[in-house]
């Protein structure tokens, strides 16, 4: 496997310089009292749907804390994932899309990872999208930590958990304990604000409530595919705007919690996609999400816990744009509304056995896709209903004091599809106090969503009601070793086989698109990571991913890098308890639909003054420090067939202030 050298020497020089100075930094006494294994082995819930240390699950797990988010200035969940081994993200000026282990189809809508918020399923009922950008329903300032579980997850979660599960765990009212007011100012006239309340009442109930908003004009952009006098020579301004609002509230008491959340984002669409008029400020993508979740947990005995959840959720999408000659305002729209319930039992049957079993049901009462022209011309109107149910069981058995086995399976029933059985087998072996070995085999699936199966527009896209679920079989093994209490090494090797891949194709370069079960995909790779915590509070994490994903003809997949490397370094400074956080990312070149985007490297810097006794916290971040120009692959667009890439942002900044009282 060939590893190409970084193409941007200035980025590499900065990363090496900062890494070399790590051992001499001073300060940050708050970290010196903890060893690295204490910091990293945070209990997680989403790996097996009950609380356990990350070292005790066969899956490879990363936990990102609120401290990490603040230290590195991450603005979206996508930026968090971009920093982790095995993940990469691409952006089309509308949405952020996650890739993992060499797999990210340019026309996918984040359907192959499952996104949870406090255990509540967030993938919508129309597109099955996991929203990880500015369209996310949760403000990152409201996050306590994020659990990222790699590998197959359908054995306990069902559809969409092909490559992993991401669980966003929000802060509690007790953690906020008062009122927080935050403000952020960023490049391109972007302003954000947030107000959060956390309080506990005399009767023991607690309330967490938060509201936030964002408004930004976006950068001036140039699209070479529109470089003609008729389309403003490819120049566009004030069309990449973002307007967003979020609300979150949770009332809790004695195992019972009621949560509601809602968001709305209006994102300008500057790229003139699918035949839309270029430089049209009215061309945008509007997403709204909302849900209400009632969750109850009760200990039946000292060793048995029963929990239940009931929920209702709603999602709408609208894309207004000008099309045709003379131009007509067109609206492409979707509406999903669903409700459901689940029950879960966790029991320590014996001192060596821990069992988790559960049932889930979801009814999608509205799955509607429409396309219309003003004032009242209906081009397409598809209305559906569907259901899905699942039953799962998993048993973790401590075979010896050093060896634990995990065996589980789930069966899913879905409307208009065959049932799916998803088994998983794993083992965790502790060969010494410093070394843990893990192996895992699992089978997962993803059912076609309503959009892939049912959307059709004459001349642009054809429906395919005969789509079948895609399935993946994954084998992986890894080792985690501590050289000492402050140094950790990790290596994971994996191989997967994806069958009946749901992919969007066109029979000709100008013909309509259609989702089909296109065939098989194979991949193998290695993930390497090293992490070090110095006594003076300096923390360094580096990772290297080597991977190869190809189709059944042996061709490399598009948007699939062979290599990526990452570095995160947090350095305490001797003034005002400041910390300097820097991250560097390098991604190898990727094949596009008709060419190849080059490799790139970027570096980001954040200066953080943590919350102090005066109630203030502030930070300043600089992204893409060297203003490097880089690109992400674009999905094939019959309206702009010459386009195979999107230019990404140059140097940008953000300043952030939070006051707690």
């Amino acid at each position: 496997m060939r590893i190409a050298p970084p193409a941007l020497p200035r980025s590499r020089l900065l990363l090496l310089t900062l890494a070399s100075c790590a051992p001499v930094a001073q300060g940050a006494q708050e970290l010196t009292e903890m060893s690295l294994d204490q910091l990293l082995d945070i209990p997680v819930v989403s790996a097996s749907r009950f609380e356990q240390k990350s070292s005790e699950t066969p899956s490879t797990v990363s936990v990102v804390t609120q401290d990490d988010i603040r230290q590195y200035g991450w603005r979206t969940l996508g930026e968090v994932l971009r920093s982790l081994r095995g993940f990469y993200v691409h952006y089309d000026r509308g949405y952020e899309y996650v890739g993992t282990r060499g797999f990210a189809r340019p026309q996918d809508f984040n359907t192959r990872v499952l996104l949870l918020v406090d255990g509540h399923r967030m993938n919508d009922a129309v597109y099955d999208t996991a929203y990880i950008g500015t369209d996310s329903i949760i403000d990152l300032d409201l996050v306590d930590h994020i659990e990222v579980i790699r590998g197959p997850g359908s054995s306990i979660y069902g559809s969409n958990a092909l490559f992993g599960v991401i669980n966003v765990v929000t802060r509690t009212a007790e953690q906020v304990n008062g009122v927080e007011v935050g403000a952020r100012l960023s490049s391109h006239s972007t302003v954000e604000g947030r107000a959060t309340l956390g309080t506990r009442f005399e009767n023991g109930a607690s309330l967490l409530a938060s509201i936030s908003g964002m408004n930004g004009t976006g950068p001036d952009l140039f699209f070479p595919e529109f470089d003609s006098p008729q389309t403003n020579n490819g120049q566009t301004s004030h069309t990449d705007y973002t307007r967003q609002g979020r609300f979150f509230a949770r009332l809790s008491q004695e195992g019972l919690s009621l949560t509601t959340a809602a968001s709305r984002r209006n994102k300008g669409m500057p790229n003139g996609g699918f035949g839309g008029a270029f430089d049209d400020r009215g061309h945008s993508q509007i997403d709204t999400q909302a849900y209400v979740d009632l969750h109850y947990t009760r200990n039946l005995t000292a060793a048995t816990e029963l929990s239940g959840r009931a929920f209702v959720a709603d999602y709408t999408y609208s894309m207004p744009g000008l099309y045709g000659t003379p131009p007509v305002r067109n609206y492409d729209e979707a509406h999903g509304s669903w409700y459901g319930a689940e029950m879960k039992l966790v029991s320590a049957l014996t001192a060596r056995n821990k069992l988790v079993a559960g049932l889930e049901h979801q009814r999608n009462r509205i799955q509607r896709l429409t396309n219309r022209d003003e004032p009242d011309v209906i081009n397409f109107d598809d209305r559906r209903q569907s259901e899905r149910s699942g039953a799962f069981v998993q048993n973790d058995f401590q075979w010896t004091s050093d060896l634990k086995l995990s065996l589980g399976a789930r069966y899913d029933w879905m409307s208009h599809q065959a049932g799916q059985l998803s088994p998983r087998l794993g083992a965790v072996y502790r060969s010494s106090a410093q070394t843990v070995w893990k192996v895992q085999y699992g089978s997962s699936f993803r059912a076609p969503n309503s959009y892939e199966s049912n959307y059709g527009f004459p001349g642009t896209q054809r429906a395919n009601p005969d789509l079948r679920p895609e399935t993946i079989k994954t084998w992986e093994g890894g080792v985690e070793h501590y050289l000492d209490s402050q140094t950790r090494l990790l290596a994971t090797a994996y191989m997967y086989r994806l069958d009946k891949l749901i992919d969007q194709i066109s029979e000709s370069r100008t013909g309509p698109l259609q989702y089909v079960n296109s065939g098989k995909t194979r991949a193998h790779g290695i993930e390497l990571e090293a992490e070090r915590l110095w006594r003076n509070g300096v923390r360094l994490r580096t990772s290297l991913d080597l991977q190869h994903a190809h189709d059944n003809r042996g061709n490399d997949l598009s948007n699939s890098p062979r290599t990526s490397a990452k570095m995160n370094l947090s350095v305490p400074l001797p003034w005002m308890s400041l910390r300097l956080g820097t991250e560097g990312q390098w991604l190898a070149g990727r094949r596009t639909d008709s060419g190849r985007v080059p490799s790139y490297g970027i570096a980001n810097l954040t200066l953080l003054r943590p919350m102090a006794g005066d109630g203030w916290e502030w930070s300043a971040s600089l992204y893409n420090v060297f203003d490097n120009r880089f690109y992400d692959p674009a999905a094939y667009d019959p309206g702009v067939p010459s386009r195979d890439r999107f230019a990404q942002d140059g140097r940008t900044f953000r300043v952030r202030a939070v006051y707690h009282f």
Side-chain angles (χ1 to χ4, degrees), residues 410-517:
R410 173 174 169 135
Y411 192 83
D412 283 271
W413 300 263
M414 300 159 290
S415 300
H416 317 300
Q417 298 288 345
Q420 293 290 324
L421 177 65
S422 304
R424 184 176 73 167
L425 173 65
V428 180
Y429 176 64
R430 185 175 291 275
S431 59
S432 69
Q434 295 80 31
T435 306
V436 175
W437 299 81
K438 299 182 178 184
V439 293
Q440 179 179 221
Y441 162 78
S443 176
S444 287
F445 77 97
R446 180 179 79 88
N449 57 57
S450 182
Y451 174 77
E452 292 167 333
S453 297
N454 304 314
Y455 186 88
F457 187 83
T460 301
Q461 186 166 325
R462 293 188 299 184
N464 186 358
D466 295 326
L467 276 178
R468 294 294 175 258
E470 58 186 16
T471 60
I472 190 171
K473 292 179 171 58
T474 304
W475 299 261
E476 63 179 83
V479 58
E480 186 173 6
H481 176 71
Y482 285 83
L483 296 177
D484 52 48
S485 63
Q486 307 301 118
T487 307
R488 179 184 68 110
L489 304 175
L490 180 144
T492 301
Y494 62 85
M495 177 176 64
Y496 62 80
R497 185 183 70 204
L498 201 159
D499 295 326
K500 300 185 183 70
L501 170 66
I502 299 174
D503 214 2
Q504 192 181 56
I505 66 170
S506 174
E507 294 180 355
S508 67
R509 295 293 296 178
T510 58
L513 299 168
Q514 185 180 42
Y515 285 94
V516 300
N517 292 109

Side-chain angles (χ1 to χ4, degrees), residues 46-62:
S46 48
S48 298
R49 300 186 77 153
F50 61 83
E51 186 174 292
Q52 60 185 158
K53 292 182 178 180
S54 60
S55 61
E56 296 174 349
T57 171
S59 304
T60 56
V61 179
S62 292

Side-chain angles (χ1 to χ4, degrees), residues 18-146:
L18 288 171
S20 64
C21 76
V24 298
Q26 300 297 321
Q29 296 301 310
E30 71 274 8
L31 294 179
T32 61
E33 298 178 359
M34 299 185 70
S35 62
L36 190 61
D37 58 335
Q38 291 174 316
L39 286 172
L40 295 174
D41 215 4
I42 300 172
V44 297
V45 175
S46 48
S48 298
R49 300 186 77 153
F50 61 83
E51 186 174 292
Q52 60 185 158
K53 292 182 178 180
S54 60
S55 61
E56 296 174 349
T57 171
S59 304
T60 56
V61 179
S62 292
V63 178
V64 179
T65 67
Q66 174 62 216
D67 288 341
D68 297 325
I69 294 170
R70 291 157 47 229
Q71 175 63 93
Y72 297 110
W74 293 321
R75 297 164 291 185
T76 66
L77 179 56
E79 291 186 346
V80 174
L81 297 174
R82 192 191 295 264
S83 74
L84 300 177
R85 69 182 186 276
F87 286 88
Y88 58 105
V89 173
H90 63 281
Y91 178 53
D92 66 357
R93 313 305 310 183
Y95 299 91
E96 293 183 39
Y97 306 96
V98 62
T100 178
R101 294 184 167 178
F103 192 97
R105 307 306 296 139
Q107 65 274 32
D108 179 43
F109 296 149
N110 283 344
T111 62
R112 296 176 173 95
V113 293
L114 180 65
L115 177 63
L116 311 172
V117 172
D118 297 321
H120 173 89
R121 181 187 179 97
M122 293 305 305
N123 296 58
D124 70 75
V126 178
Y127 303 101
D128 270 342
T129 297
Y131 298 93
I132 63 170
T134 56
D135 48 3
S136 172
I137 200 169
I138 298 295
D139 190 312
L140 280 189
D141 282 346
L142 204 60
V143 172
D144 176 67
H145 66 275
I146 301 168

Side-chain angles (χ1 to χ4, degrees), residues 242-264:
T242 302
R243 299 163 189 159
Q244 169 218 83
R246 297 182 178 117
F247 172 76
F248 181 90
R250 181 174 59 242
L251 182 65
S252 306
Q253 186 174 27
E254 295 181 355
L256 180 66
S257 65
L258 177 65
T259 303
T260 182
S263 68
R264 184 182 191 273

